[in-house]
Amino acid sequence: MTLRDDLNASLKQAMRDRAAERLSTLRLISAAIKDRDIAARGAGEDASGVDDAEILSILAKMVKQRQESARTYEEGGRLDLAEREMNEITVIEEFLPKQLSDGEVAKAIEAAVSEVGAESIRDMGKVMGALKAKFTGQMDFGKVGPMVKDQLSK
């Protein structure tokens, strides 16, 4: 079963359960995926829609946006809105793979560096590309970038 099928099944179940907040978040996810499908068709790509890797990328971006919004709401004293954002993050993360621990991330970086034969900071793009290909949705690449840079500068 693909990720798209899982999302659709969850959407239908949320409708049956009359879970308004969950349904709202699932509809946001569905709309974001459909937007990307339309953009892909416009670019002349496959008409069947985006693949699971692209959907994981969309979901990771949505989580990051909501984390930033929640932080802004908390700073502004709007705890009710921050809580809503955190609830949306919980629903979105159900469809993301388990996040890797710091130790697992370090091992993945070492493996990617040796795999692509990276020797200097100039090879950082190759290493990040290899990591994104294997671990999309499993690690925060904003945090991984400096770790890769440290590894390559040794």
Side-chain angles (χ1 to χ4, degrees):
M1 187 176 236
T2 66
L3 190 53
R4 187 182 298 257
D5 295 335
D6 288 343
L7 285 163
N8 286 333
S10 294
L11 184 73
K12 290 175 186 174
Q13 187 60 44
M15 284 182 202
R16 284 188 213 107
D17 295 343
R18 300 188 191 280
E21 286 186 28
R22 181 173 173 78
L23 182 60
S24 172
T25 302
L26 291 170
R27 284 182 172 157
L28 287 171
I29 295 170
S30 181
I33 293 170
K34 286 178 183 176
D35 285 345
R36 191 70 59 93
D37 286 343
I38 291 168
R41 275 196 307 257
E45 295 177 21
D46 187 18
S48 65
V50 295
D51 60 352
D52 280 357
E54 187 73 18
I55 292 173
L56 288 175
S57 169
I58 293 168
L59 294 176
K61 182 178 179 183
M62 291 177 79
V63 167
K64 189 172 184 179
Q65 288 171 338
R66 275 147 188 80
Q67 287 170 338
E68 291 171 4
S69 295
R71 191 174 341 103
T72 303
Y73 288 139
E74 285 175 2
E75 290 170 1
R78 295 295 310 266
L79 299 179
D80 55 327
L81 295 176
E83 184 179 340
R84 179 192 288 161
E85 295 291 326
M86 297 307 288
N87 290 339
E88 286 185 7
I89 289 171
T90 304
V91 172
I92 295 168
E93 285 180 338
E94 290 177 22
F95 301 99
L96 288 171
K98 182 182 83 60
Q99 294 290 307
L100 297 177
S101 69
D102 290 341
E104 293 170 323
V105 169
K107 288 179 184 175
I109 291 171
E110 289 176 22
V113 166
S114 64
E115 178 184 313
V116 299
E119 297 174 2
S120 71
I121 198 75
R122 284 183 267 156
D123 298 322
M124 185 170 171
K126 292 178 187 176
V127 174
M128 292 298 286
L131 289 170
K132 285 183 181 182
K134 289 184 183 175
F135 300 105
T136 299
Q138 293 179 303
M139 59 177 72
D140 180 3
F141 290 100
K143 293 178 184 174
V144 169
M147 294 171 71
V148 171
K149 192 177 281 187
D150 289 344
Q151 180 78 19
L152 293 175
S153 63
K154 291 181 181 177

